Amino acid sequence: MDIKKQKQYIDGKWVNSFSNETREIINPFNQEVIAIAAEGNEKDAQAAINAARKAFDQGDWSTTPATERGQIVHKVADYIERDREELAQLESLDTGKTVEESRGDMDDIASVFRYFAEMADKNGGELIDSPIPNSISKVVHEPVGVCGQITPWNYPLLQASWKLAPALVTGNTLIIKPSEITPLTHVKVFELMEEAGVPAGVANLVLGAGATVGAELSSNTDVDLISFTGGIETGKKIMQAASVNVKKLALELGGKNPNVVFADADFETAVDQAMNAVFFHAGQICSAGTRLIIEESIHDEFVEKLVGRVKNIKMGDGFDDSTQMGPVISQDHLDKIVAYVDQGIKEGAKVEVGAKRPDAPELQNGFFYEPTILTGCTSDMTVVQEEGFGPVITVEKFSTEEEAIRLANDSIYGLAGGVWTQDIAKAERCVAKMRMGTVWINEFNLYFPHAPWGGFKQSGIGRELGKLGIEEYQETKHVFQNLRPEPLNWF
Ligand code: NAD
């Protein structure tokens, strides 16, 4: 594939934007231009919506046997496995994350396509016990229709896979819009979907900005469902725009996730995992365990150990095998992280490590920020409340189980959280009270396609992955058949 020119895929054709405008795609490690992407706008989005509408209303996809749709999606998984290395390198070029992380992402993505391909013909409906004599009552599932899908830049293809695979196996047609700054793996996976035999018009790719392409997908009345992963403020705008025709809505928004460590936890493992919980992909993970909440009696020792290890994290080029943490995505994002940490310091947080850009000469062209630990944090601080989406841990202390739970829940978000303790009864008591879509016990940031993913509170609406991830893309129809119809003679 020629990574220098990234086209859109509309109605089965690779096309430039109507306006012929383009956007430079930048490598966050060195700011080099790695590709030139078509920059679509409302007109491109409308063309894609028309193609998807026609393919849904007049094409065969929605009535193709589910088993056949599943076979096509299995092929997409096969091709992702075949082209794993190329995809991983594209993802790392685009996002700056280490190639090793991207390889792991590609394995996860293949298994997402595989999981939904397997599910394709296993959710056909059911007969229910009708209370009416001589009748048949059945519940069937049908595709929702035309789906608009909008993805973020942090896990570009992974987030896309959670949307593309379930929409396809359930017989919908779709238009997806990646983040304008990370389109490369979306383009490549569309080549793979074309190769696998997804018919023209069924899956469409429009590149471009949120304010144009994204807004059109959200507000166009020919779109029946909008599935969005991204920030909370964008989510609110989409929710408002989608009300125009009461679209079905799935929102995967941000998180400010607590990682609660009790004194009886396996200390070394909890320290190690507290780092993994945040510093993977430079903290740009919606479920990052950025709020570390430690029991008072082990607080100082835990922080000391953590700081010692964090100082050794090696930043650098994601293509260098020794690199452990890459840059953040863009200058804009780096500026936000700098301002966010500075605000925390002004509010009284103490810097244990980091809180600045690195000095190393070889990192000066990239958007690097040092892994940072702030102690003395309290719930009223901006750094504890707002999602920073960078390599930053805030540390809070607690002395009782009740206090730990109260701190963990003290957020407008409710995406995920973790509890570290060897007392299983205590873990279960905490989990029962933690208001989050995923809670890990003695684990952090683990997910797999079989289990649903999504948030309580302002972290979103709906669930991706698992059986619920399929149901997002289905309408439910009750079909009642009277086997002995007779006049009622009421009137
Ligand atoms: P963002 O909200 O800025 O952008 C996400 C997408 O929305 C992009 O494609 C963007 O172009 C588009 N967009 C922007 N304005 C729009 C508008 N007015 N109408 C329609 N679309 C618009 O988010 P981001 O900075 O790309 O991603 C980071 C955010 O994503 C974080 O808040 C993170 O927590 C969240 N996220 C959540 C999950 C999850 O599973 N809950 C997963 C990954 C990322």
Side-chain angles (χ1 to χ4, degrees):
M1 151 175 166
D2 175 12
I3 65 159
K4 284 289 172 198
K5 291 186 209 131
Q6 307 290 315
K7 290 191 176 181
Q8 310 182 102
Y9 188 72
I10 299 177
D11 208 7
K13 295 181 199 71
W14 290 98
V15 293
N16 292 318
S17 60
F18 279 106
S19 68
N20 263 324
E21 275 183 35
T22 55
R23 177 188 292 266
E24 291 184 342
I25 306 301
I26 305 291
N27 179 345
F29 168 65
N30 54 19
Q31 302 191 48
E32 278 173 11
V33 177
I34 48 175
I36 304 287
E39 176 76 1
N41 62 26
E42 293 85 348
K43 212 170 157 195
D44 302 80
Q46 284 156 10
I49 292 166
N50 292 342
R53 187 78 262 167
K54 192 164 144 237
F56 187 78
D57 294 339
Q58 298 166 35
D60 299 331
W61 186 248
S62 67
T63 52
T64 297
T67 316
E68 229 173 277
R69 291 195 299 255
Q71 282 161 354
I72 292 178
V73 173
H74 262 304
K75 278 195 199 164
V76 179
D78 293 342
Y79 300 156
I80 289 169
E81 284 165 0
R82 182 194 67 196
D83 295 348
R84 172 182 188 253
E85 189 58 28
E86 181 186 351
L87 280 160
Q89 295 202 9
L90 287 174
E91 200 77 305
S92 286
L93 272 178
D94 220 354
T95 61
K97 69 169 73 171
T98 66
V99 181
E100 203 45 40
E101 278 182 68
S102 292
R103 289 187 188 115
D105 289 355
M106 295 314 139
D107 295 341
D108 289 350
I109 291 161
S111 60
V112 169
F113 277 93
R114 195 74 75 204
Y115 171 78
F116 284 114
E118 289 290 334
M119 293 276 283
D121 55 6
K122 296 184 182 54
N123 198 21
E126 56 175 343
L127 275 179
I128 54 177
D129 286 332
S130 170
I132 313 297
N134 301 310
S135 73
I136 298 174
S137 178
K138 61 180 177 178
V139 174
V140 293
H141 301 296
E142 294 181 3
V144 174
V146 174
C147 303
Q149 305 182 324
I150 302 175
T151 52
W153 47 257
N154 63 332
Y155 281 84
L157 190 52
L158 184 70
Q159 296 302 330
S161 70
W162 296 10
K163 301 182 192 303
L164 292 170
L168 286 174
V169 297
T170 46
N172 294 275
T173 62
L174 64 95
I175 309 99
I176 195 164
K177 187 204 94 63
S179 166
E180 53 275 37
I181 53 178
T182 54
L184 302 189
T185 48
H186 278 65
V187 173
K188 174 71 189 169
V189 93
F190 265 74
E191 290 178 7
L192 303 184
M193 293 197 307
E194 186 182 30
E195 185 184 350
V198 174
V202 167
N204 302 274
L205 171 70
V206 183
L207 308 179
T212 52
V213 179
E216 182 64 32
L217 292 178
S218 318
S219 62
N220 191 300
T221 54
D222 272 333
V223 176
D224 303 305
L225 172 152
I226 192 99
S227 173
F228 168 75
T229 302
I232 193 168
E233 292 311 320
T234 316
K236 288 180 191 171
K237 282 187 202 157
I238 289 174
M239 199 170 178
Q240 216 164 13
S243 71
V244 64
N245 62 329
V246 196
K247 284 182 180 57
K248 284 191 83 179
L249 195 62
L251 298 177
E252 295 289 343
L253 307 178
K256 188 70 194 169
N257 313 289
N259 187 13
V260 177
V261 184
F262 283 96
D264 63 359
D266 170 345
F267 187 86
E268 293 298 331
T269 308
V271 169
D272 185 72
Q273 293 277 3
M275 294 171 66
N276 294 339
V278 177
F279 299 126
F280 266 122
H281 196 19
Q284 302 164 112
I285 307 180
C286 54
S287 55
T290 48
R291 288 193 292 137
L292 183 57
I293 301 173
I294 310 177
E295 188 157 359
E296 203 164 20
S297 59
I298 58 161
H299 173 276
D300 294 355
E301 196 192 343
F302 199 95
V303 169
E304 192 188 331
K305 186 83 190 203
L306 194 60
V307 169
R309 289 199 54 188
V310 166
K311 281 184 178 155
N312 293 326
I313 291 179
K314 185 171 179 308
M315 285 183 285
D317 182 358
F319 283 78
D320 177 341
D321 285 347
S322 66
T323 296
Q324 295 174 317
M325 198 181 98
V328 300
I329 192 73
S330 64
Q331 184 66 51
D332 273 0
H333 193 52
L334 179 60
D335 293 345
K336 273 189 211 151
I337 295 168
V338 169
Y340 166 87
V341 172
D342 288 351
Q343 173 72 15
I345 296 167
K346 264 190 219 133
E347 288 173 347
K350 178 176 172 230
V351 178
E352 297 288 345
V353 63
K356 63 180 180 63
R357 302 209 50 206
D359 303 321
E362 68 276 15
L363 302 181
Q364 297 312 305
N365 288 334
F367 308 122
F368 283 93
Y369 194 77
E370 288 192 354
T372 297
I373 298 179
L374 302 175
T375 52
C377 295
T378 49
S379 285
D380 53 344
M381 291 179 180
T382 317
V383 273
V384 176
Q385 286 304 329
E386 288 183 11
E387 187 188 40
F389 225 53
V392 181
I393 294 180
T394 62
V395 184
E396 295 166 84
K397 276 185 207 176
F398 69 89
S399 51
T400 64
E401 190 177 313
E402 290 66 34
E403 192 184 7
I405 293 165
R406 184 176 55 71
L407 292 175
N409 283 333
D410 191 356
S411 171
I412 60 164
Y413 294 106
L415 188 59
V419 185
W420 293 87
T421 171
Q422 300 196 51
D423 177 343
I424 285 306
K426 180 158 68 182
E428 289 292 349
R429 284 195 302 274
C430 292
V431 167
K433 292 195 175 144
M434 286 167 75
R435 304 284 299 156
M436 289 132 218
T438 296
V439 184
W440 294 286
I441 301 172
N442 297 329
E443 181 58 67
F444 213 96
N445 267 343
L446 187 82
Y447 74 94
F448 36 81
H450 315 66
W453 180 263
F456 282 29
K457 302 199 263 182
Q458 295 187 40
S459 285
I461 297 176
R463 292 292 180 270
E464 294 193 295
L465 300 181
K467 194 162 172 284
L468 292 172
I470 283 264
E471 290 171 5
E472 289 281 8
Y473 287 95
Q474 291 181 315
E475 288 284 15
T476 298
K477 182 181 278 178
H478 174 222
V479 182
F480 177 83
Q481 186 180 3
N482 189 340
L483 297 172
R484 295 219 187 121
E486 291 169 359
L488 272 185
N489 291 325
W490 179 284
F491 296 108

